Amino acid sequence: SPDGKKIAFASNQDGVGSLYVMNADGSNLTELVDTKAFSVYDQFRPELRFDTDCCSPDWSPDGTKIVFMVWHSIGCCYGSAYIHVLNADGSSLASAALPGWSTFDWAPNSQRIAFGSNCQEYFGICVMNADGTNLVNISHKQGGDTYPVWSPDGEKIAFASSRNGDSEVFVMNADG
C-alpha cells in the first residue's frame, strides 16, 4: 500500500486464484476475492468451463482502492482478462465488464484508471472512473496501444504503441 503498512497479492494456494491483503509484517491475512465467484461453468457445453486466475493487484495512490484482473481461460488457446476494482477492505466490487490486456495505471488523484483494452469498438488506451463507470477509449487506435502510465501531474498519459509499424513510446493529453 502507499503507506507501506499493507501488502496486496495474489495466490492460488487452493488451486484457484485469490486476492489477499495482509499487514506488511505478514499478520492479519485476509482474503478479499476468491475467483471461483467469477468462474463460468456450463455442464452442457464443456468448452465454456473457464479456469480462472487472479490478479496483478495495484493500490490506488491514496490507498483506498485496489484494481486487479481476473483471467479466464479455456484450455490452451482462448483467454480474456476482466478488470475489477474494490475498496481496500474488500467491499464495493466494481467491474469494467470488458477485457483488459495490458497493465493498468492509476491517475495520481486516485479517481481514474488507464489500461489497454477493447473498449468502444477499438483496442486502445481506455480510461474509467475508479468505480468502473464512464469508460472511454481515448486513443481510438485499432491495435497496438498498450501499457499506459500517467504523468505525475495527471495531465498526460504515456503508452506503448506499434501504430507506426515499430513499437514506440507515445504521449498524449489525459483526455486523448
Side-chain angles (χ1 to χ4, degrees):
S1 58
D3 64 7
K5 294 181 180 179
K6 299 218 178 248
I7 298 170
F9 66 96
S11 174
N12 66 349
Q13 60 189 354
D14 298 326
V16 175
S18 296
L19 175 64
Y20 295 89
V21 171
M22 67 180 177
N23 292 336
D25 66 4
S27 64
N28 198 25
L29 177 66
T30 304
E31 182 182 56
L32 297 183
V33 174
D34 179 343
T35 62
K36 282 188 272 187
F38 297 95
S39 183
V40 175
Y41 180 84
D42 184 332
Q43 65 181 2
F44 301 108
R45 297 189 59 202
E47 73 277 10
L48 292 182
R49 294 179 186 173
F50 280 83
D51 293 324
T52 59
D53 199 3
C54 185
C55 275
S56 302
D58 189 32
W59 292 88
S60 62
D62 65 8
T64 62
K65 297 189 180 297
I66 299 171
V67 63
F68 64 99
M69 288 189 189
V70 174
W71 285 273
H72 302 275
S73 61
I74 299 175
C76 69
C77 305
Y78 174 78
S80 62
Y82 288 81
I83 296 172
H84 304 276
V85 181
L86 74 163
N87 291 335
D89 65 4
S91 65
S92 298
L93 181 67
S95 174
L98 66 125
W101 291 104
S102 74
T103 59
F104 29 75
D105 194 47
W106 286 93
N109 66 5
S110 299
Q111 299 301 307
R112 297 186 301 162
I113 304 166
F115 54 95
S117 182
N118 184 15
C119 61
Q120 297 179 331
E121 299 183 29
Y122 295 102
F123 189 95
I125 303 302
C126 302
V127 175
M128 70 178 185
N129 290 343
D131 65 2
T133 63
N134 294 324
L135 178 68
V136 178
N137 184 325
I138 62 171
S139 68
H140 302 288
K141 183 69 178 173
Q142 192 165 6
D145 293 351
T146 60
Y147 305 107
V149 178
W150 292 86
S151 63
D153 65 4
E155 297 294 321
K156 305 271 186 192
I157 297 176
F159 60 98
S161 180
S162 58
R163 59 176 59 195
N164 293 339
D166 295 319
S167 184
E168 298 174 324
V169 175
F170 290 80
V171 177
M172 67 179 155
N173 291 336
D175 66 359

